[in-house]
Amino acid sequence: MAFLDLFVVSLIPVLKTLLITMVGLLLAIPRIDILGDAARHHLNNVVFYVFTPALIGGSLADTVTATSIASLWFMPVNILLTFIIGSGLGWALVKITRTPEDLHGLVIGSCAAGNLGNLLLIIVPAVCEEDNSPFGDKLTCSANGQGLVSLSMAIGAIYIWTYVYNIIWKYGNLSGKDIAKASTISIDCSGRTLDMLRENYTEALLQSRQSSFNDCEAPDDEYSEVQEHDITVDDVLDKKETLLMKIKAHLDALSDKINLKMWLTPTTIATIVGLLIGVISPIRKLMIGDHAPLRVFDGSASLLGQATVPAMTLIVGANLLKGMKKSGVGVWLMIGILAVRYVALPIVGIGVVKAAQHVGFVGSDSLYVFILLIQYSVPPAMAIGTITQLFEVGESECSVIMLWTYGMAAIALTLWSTFFMWLVS
């Protein structure tokens, strides 16, 4: 297949993405103000809680089976490698450019997490529908591609909200109050918030430990001698209560560090549900297929999922408006991020995927190999902007990064997609 034909096939879906992005940008300007801050907030919630879970859950249930899932085991590993390699390169970049410490998490996250969702949901089906596509039948290619991209999107979302989320949290240097605000924790109990309860509990625990330390420093020998031979039931109960308090304190600290709440996002839950429906044969027969008794649920999820791509792309365009107004990122840092995402990562990705194919980890399906390769060449994930908004750190810098990386994606992603299709065809 001619290289020019492949270039045209790659360019069309990227142009479609950019056109929809420009519509979102125009809708966000103050004179029109259809996608202002409040509208973006509400639309983003609908996408996050409704559209995206419906798309991922429905696509996985339709395309993933117990047989096929065994052959896709390398995709989670491949995506994890993109995160690890990207974060390593990002760490080196912040050291070389001497980036302020509060922006380390943003830069590392931008280098690590790629847009494995809405961008691929546009590119892959569009490539399949082109007449010169190297991936065979259009309908089969589109159906399989949507399933593969949905799995990619689901796995990427899990890694973003566990791996990248905690990186940005760590480097954000947030106070305890900011962390509670960022995590949107607001629980009332007898007129007091959870923050007050934790502060009072921590203070009481510290006072208790200080009191115990002072007692040990100057003990009463006579009382100690009597106490050794006269242990009451109250003493045993006090020890149990102290042990329970210590365990609870450790669990609270562990919960704050891991932030389990962010693991169970709607995307993660939809992934689990979609995989269970697809893998468990009796449930699949009830819900999937033209003659399935409960096919109305699958049809409704598919209908909602179709709104995901245009809605997310409009939000991307609207968010880019902030990047056009502010410039809080240095030139060399921006060049470094572009070099990591569009030069270093794709080159490393070719070596990783080819090595995996050589040892038999990846089969000969050209569409599957193409998706594994393109996962290394996409711009940063838009969820990074959501995380910076949660922590209120590096928001304007994130907008600048998104503006330049998505602007350059028109050239870089087209060229890499062309090369990847030539490589697998």
Side-chain angles (χ1 to χ4, degrees):
M1 191 173 182
F3 193 85
L4 182 60
D5 293 335
L6 290 173
F7 181 81
V8 173
V9 171
S10 302
L11 180 62
I12 296 300
V14 175
L15 289 178
K16 289 181 180 179
T17 305
L18 290 178
L19 286 174
I20 301 174
T21 302
M22 289 301 298
V23 173
L25 180 61
L26 290 174
L27 294 177
I29 62 177
R31 182 173 297 181
I32 299 177
D33 199 27
I34 294 177
L35 278 180
D37 291 338
R40 287 202 305 273
H41 173 74
H42 294 305
L43 181 58
N44 191 61
N45 281 339
V46 174
V47 170
F48 183 69
Y49 288 103
V50 181
F51 291 163
T52 304
L55 174 67
I56 291 176
S59 297
L60 291 177
D62 287 339
T63 57
V64 175
T65 62
T67 305
S68 65
I69 198 170
S71 62
L72 301 177
W73 69 268
F74 184 73
M75 183 178 285
V77 177
N78 189 66
I79 295 175
L80 180 60
L81 289 175
T82 67
F83 277 69
I84 294 174
I85 297 170
S87 59
L89 294 172
W91 179 84
L93 178 62
V94 298
K95 296 299 181 182
I96 294 172
T97 58
R98 297 181 180 179
T99 304
E101 188 173 356
D102 60 325
L103 296 180
H104 283 195
L106 170 61
V107 175
I108 295 173
S110 298
C111 294
N115 189 331
L116 305 175
N118 61 312
L119 202 57
L120 294 186
L121 284 171
I122 296 176
I123 292 174
V124 174
V127 167
C128 290
E129 292 172 3
E130 291 295 317
D131 293 332
N132 295 324
S133 172
F135 303 123
D137 180 65
K138 294 181 181 181
L139 294 177
T140 304
C141 176
S142 297
N144 293 338
Q146 188 176 24
L148 291 171
V149 173
S150 296
L151 181 61
S152 171
M153 184 179 183
I155 297 169
I158 294 172
Y159 289 154
I160 288 170
W161 289 103
T162 52
Y163 184 79
V164 175
Y165 177 89
N166 284 285
I167 288 178
I168 297 178
W169 185 8
K170 176 183 177 182
Y171 284 105
N173 292 323
L174 301 175
S175 65
K177 181 178 179 181
D178 293 331
I179 290 174
K181 181 179 180 181
S183 302
T184 61
I185 297 176
S186 179
I187 301 175
D188 292 331
C189 182
S190 300
R192 297 185 298 174
T193 63
L194 182 61
D195 296 332
M196 296 171 59
L197 291 174
R198 284 186 176 178
E199 288 176 2
N200 294 338
Y201 171 76
T202 304
E203 184 178 357
L205 184 61
L206 290 174
Q207 290 177 353
S208 176
R209 289 180 177 176
Q210 183 65 32
S211 176
S212 299
F213 177 80
N214 292 336
D215 291 342
C216 293
E217 190 175 13
D220 189 338
D221 294 339
E222 183 178 353
Y223 175 76
S224 299
E225 184 177 352
V226 174
Q227 192 177 31
E228 288 178 0
H229 299 284
D230 189 15
I231 299 175
T232 64
V233 175
D234 291 337
D235 294 331
V236 176
L237 292 176
D238 288 341
K239 289 181 180 179
K240 288 184 178 180
E241 289 179 359
T242 304
L243 180 61
L244 291 174
M245 291 174 66
K246 290 181 179 179
I247 294 174
K248 184 179 179 182
H250 286 300
L251 290 176
D252 287 340
L254 181 62
S255 176
D256 285 340
K257 289 181 179 179
I258 298 178
N259 204 348
L260 294 175
K261 182 180 179 180
M262 300 311 300
W263 287 32
L264 297 177
T265 61
T267 302
T268 307
I269 297 172
T271 302
I272 297 171
V273 172
L275 288 175
L276 289 176
I277 294 173
V279 171
I280 301 175
S281 182
I283 301 178
R284 182 182 180 85
K285 290 178 180 179
L286 284 174
M287 302 186 67
I288 309 300
D290 295 335
H291 304 288
L294 302 179
R295 62 185 179 276
V296 64
F297 293 102
D298 179 58
S300 300
S302 177
L303 190 61
L304 285 171
Q306 292 174 9
T308 305
V309 173
M312 290 183 72
T313 311
L314 288 173
I315 293 172
V316 170
N319 285 334
L320 292 181
L321 186 63
K322 289 184 179 179
M324 298 179 68
K325 294 180 179 178
K326 299 180 181 179
S327 56
V329 179
V331 175
W332 289 111
L333 178 60
M334 194 67 251
I335 293 175
I337 294 173
L338 292 173
V340 169
R341 289 238 58 105
Y342 296 135
V343 179
L345 271 175
I347 293 174
V348 173
I350 293 173
V352 170
V353 175
K354 283 296 181 182
Q357 201 172 15
H358 179 72
V359 297
F361 291 163
V362 179
S364 58
D365 184 359
S366 58
L367 179 61
Y368 181 42
V369 176
F370 172 75
I371 292 175
L372 293 178
L373 288 168
I374 205 172
Q375 287 170 347
Y376 286 90
S377 60
V378 290
M382 293 306 300
I384 295 174
T386 304
I387 297 173
T388 58
Q389 290 174 11
L390 289 175
F391 291 143
E392 297 181 356
V393 56
E395 294 178 77
S396 60
E397 290 81 2
C398 182
S399 298
V400 174
I401 292 173
M402 294 300 171
L403 175 64
W404 284 100
T405 52
Y406 276 81
M408 287 297 297
I411 301 173
L413 190 55
T414 300
L415 292 175
W416 279 116
S417 298
T418 304
F419 180 73
F420 292 154
M421 281 193 287
W422 174 80
L423 201 63
V424 301
S425 61

